[in-house]
Amino acid sequence: MKIEVTQDIPTCQALRRVVFIDEQGVSEADEVDGLDGRAIHLLAWDGECPVGTARLLVKGAVGKIGRVCVLPEARGLGLGAALIRSALEELGRIPGVSEAYLGSQSHATGFYEKLGFQVEGEEFLDAGIPHRHMRLAL
């Protein structure tokens, strides 16, 4: 498996559609937020097949990791953790970025805690799914 920065936004959007819209029932209005054009996109490959993606948005000293997804058939192989590590490495290359931030689905906070993130604040709903804010100093 390999993970790379990509300009292939349509492939990233197609992966997100499968996971967020088709599998999790997120509305298209919630998934398509108009921010893809200003984001850094990561794409994970299994051979010639794209199987996961993540999106990075930078505002000041904070890099927001979002739209992290892995296709069902590629789960359980450590790809999600590899995507987050790659996202953190990419954010670390950006001058002035000192913190990573994300909104984790509540059931996944343990996954992010193992990668060093800490939960902050109360649970909230995003696209009807319970989430928690999480941060990590870079």
Side-chain angles (χ1 to χ4, degrees):
M1 299 221 184
K2 71 175 180 175
I3 299 172
E4 61 188 5
V5 173
T6 185
Q7 299 299 315
D8 187 355
I9 297 172
T11 296
C12 296
Q13 290 171 330
L15 292 168
R16 291 170 14 203
R17 174 173 291 281
V18 168
V19 173
F20 297 126
I21 296 174
D22 298 343
E23 180 183 343
Q24 296 182 357
V26 172
S27 73
E28 186 158 348
D30 283 331
E31 161 52 25
V32 181
D33 62 6
L35 299 177
D36 284 340
R38 62 175 226 190
I40 299 166
H41 297 269
L42 299 176
L43 193 53
W45 297 84
D46 182 4
E48 299 298 313
C49 298
V51 294
T53 189
R55 181 177 84 173
L56 311 176
L57 293 166
V58 176
K59 184 174 183 180
V62 178
K64 182 178 182 189
I65 302 171
R67 302 302 199 266
V68 179
C69 68
V70 175
L71 292 180
E73 60 269 22
R75 292 180 192 153
L77 306 173
L79 189 54
L83 269 167
I84 297 303
R85 284 190 207 97
S86 292
L88 294 171
E89 287 173 16
E90 194 62 34
L91 290 172
R93 291 185 186 101
I94 302 170
V97 174
S98 60
E99 185 176 48
Y101 165 85
L102 57 82
S104 169
Q105 291 185 8
S106 292
H107 70 84
T109 56
F111 165 80
Y112 291 107
E113 286 173 328
K114 288 177 185 171
L115 293 165
F117 284 84
Q118 295 183 330
V119 172
E120 70 174 28
E122 298 298 316
E123 188 173 71
F124 64 96
L125 290 179
D126 186 1
I129 300 169
H131 280 70
R132 298 291 299 270
H133 290 296
M134 302 187 78
R135 290 190 185 274
L136 172 68
L138 297 177

